[in-house]
Amino acid sequence: MRSRVVAVAGDSAAVPVAELRDVLVLLRQHGAAGLREEYWRERLPTWLLRRFPAPLPAEQKGAWLEQWRMASAAERAALERAADWEFSQWLYWFGAGNDIWALSDVQADGRRLRVEVEHDREPVPVKVLEWTFKAVGLRVESMERIS
């Protein structure tokens, strides 16, 4: 199956849409190679790397996970929305370990970014894309299955 996510830059977008497109194209081209975090930290732009928080200590991660496990579905969703993506978590979704979906096409057109993903099941977990868009001042305009 294939789905398309369209994001639109707001007036206060932190980076040009074409620059984010270039990042996603780089991830599409090399993500499946299973390259290490250090490789990506050397190649991804500083404006993106600055948006990731410092990794939480193991104790705090464990406490958050315990809270999440004991929460209702609605509380889990709220906890997930409130949490920031650590770089390693974000990178996972673009790498070889993610067998749920893969970037298949990325196009920029002025203030719009169109990202197509290949996937085997629905719903497609695209929170990582939504977070990435929001981090640089874009908002999701639409998401649709195209094949």
Side-chain angles (χ1 to χ4, degrees):
M1 290 180 270
R2 183 177 261 195
S3 292
R4 177 183 301 130
V5 181
V6 178
V8 180
D11 292 334
S12 61
V15 298
V17 169
E19 287 187 35
L20 182 54
R21 178 208 53 218
D22 294 346
V23 167
L24 294 174
V25 167
L26 181 67
L27 287 162
R28 185 191 74 216
Q29 291 171 341
H30 301 287
L35 301 167
R36 303 185 64 123
E37 261 188 63
E38 296 77 25
Y39 173 88
W40 290 108
R41 286 192 184 278
E42 292 172 3
R43 285 162 180 81
L44 292 175
T46 305
W47 57 258
L48 178 61
L49 296 173
R50 281 192 208 135
R51 284 166 172 74
F52 296 100
L56 289 175
E59 316 80 60
Q60 288 182 347
K61 284 183 185 179
W64 185 92
L65 184 58
E66 186 61 31
Q67 182 183 8
W68 182 86
R69 286 181 178 150
M70 296 176 63
S72 68
E75 292 167 333
R76 283 182 179 184
L79 286 167
E80 291 167 5
R81 278 192 306 273
D84 270 331
W85 287 80
E86 289 183 10
F87 183 64
S88 61
Q89 296 167 330
W90 180 85
L91 198 54
Y92 163 82
W93 287 98
F94 298 100
N98 169 21
D99 62 356
I100 297 172
W101 63 264
L103 291 172
S104 59
D105 191 33
V106 182
Q107 298 292 322
D109 178 14
R111 298 175 66 84
R112 282 192 166 63
L113 182 67
R114 290 174 188 80
V115 179
E116 293 183 7
V117 294
E118 298 279 345
H119 53 95
D120 293 330
R121 57 183 177 242
E122 292 187 306
V124 185
V126 293
K127 293 289 184 200
V128 68
L129 289 174
E130 291 172 351
W131 179 90
T132 305
F133 299 154
K134 185 178 177 184
V136 296
L138 278 70
R139 66 172 174 76
V140 174
E141 181 180 65
S142 65
M143 182 174 159
E144 63 181 333
R145 186 162 151 213
I146 56 175
S147 67

